[in-house]
């Protein structure tokens, strides 16, 4: 296994959130479905104690959290006045 294999990069864009996973010679990309949540508004944060925990701030649904590597998402907007 090459030193770069197994690395993951999360990319927030105006079209949503994407995940790039490294292989020995290349990257494979996939879109993490946020169900029409809009653009990613700030850096995506990964939970350091649980690498499957992802936080994303979106332009339409506010702050979302996934505990399953982006497979499912839930809103965590309690106390936020404007999404």
């Amino acid at each position: 296994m090459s030193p770069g294999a197994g690395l993951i990069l999360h990319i927030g864009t105006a079209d949503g959130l994407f995940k790039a996973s490294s292989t020995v010679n290349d990257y494979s990309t996939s879109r993490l479905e946020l169900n029409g949540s809009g653009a990613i508004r700030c850096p995506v944060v990964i939970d350091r104690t649980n690498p499957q925990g992802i936080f994303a701030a979106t332009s339409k649904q506010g702050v979302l959290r996934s505990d399953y590597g982006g497979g499912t998402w839930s809103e965590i907007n309690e106390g936020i006045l404007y999404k």
Side-chain angles (χ1 to χ4, degrees):
M1 181 182 279
S2 120
L7 299 175
I8 296 174
L9 175 65
H10 290 87
I11 306 159
T13 72
D15 294 323
L17 181 60
F18 295 83
K19 177 174 138 180
S21 302
S22 66
T23 61
V24 174
N25 297 317
D26 204 0
Y27 277 89
S28 64
T29 58
S30 60
R31 183 179 187 140
L32 298 178
E33 292 300 325
L34 293 173
N35 300 328
S37 298
I40 303 300
R41 302 207 41 139
C42 63
V44 174
V45 177
I46 308 300
D47 185 336
R48 71 181 188 104
T49 61
N50 171 17
Q52 295 295 310
I54 304 172
F55 297 86
T58 66
S59 62
K60 292 183 181 177
Q61 287 187 308
V63 181
L64 301 173
R65 177 189 177 124
S66 175
D67 290 321
Y68 305 101
T72 59
W73 295 87
S74 57
E75 286 188 24
I76 55 169
N77 293 316
E78 187 173 332
I80 296 174
L81 298 177
Y82 303 102
K83 293 182 184 181

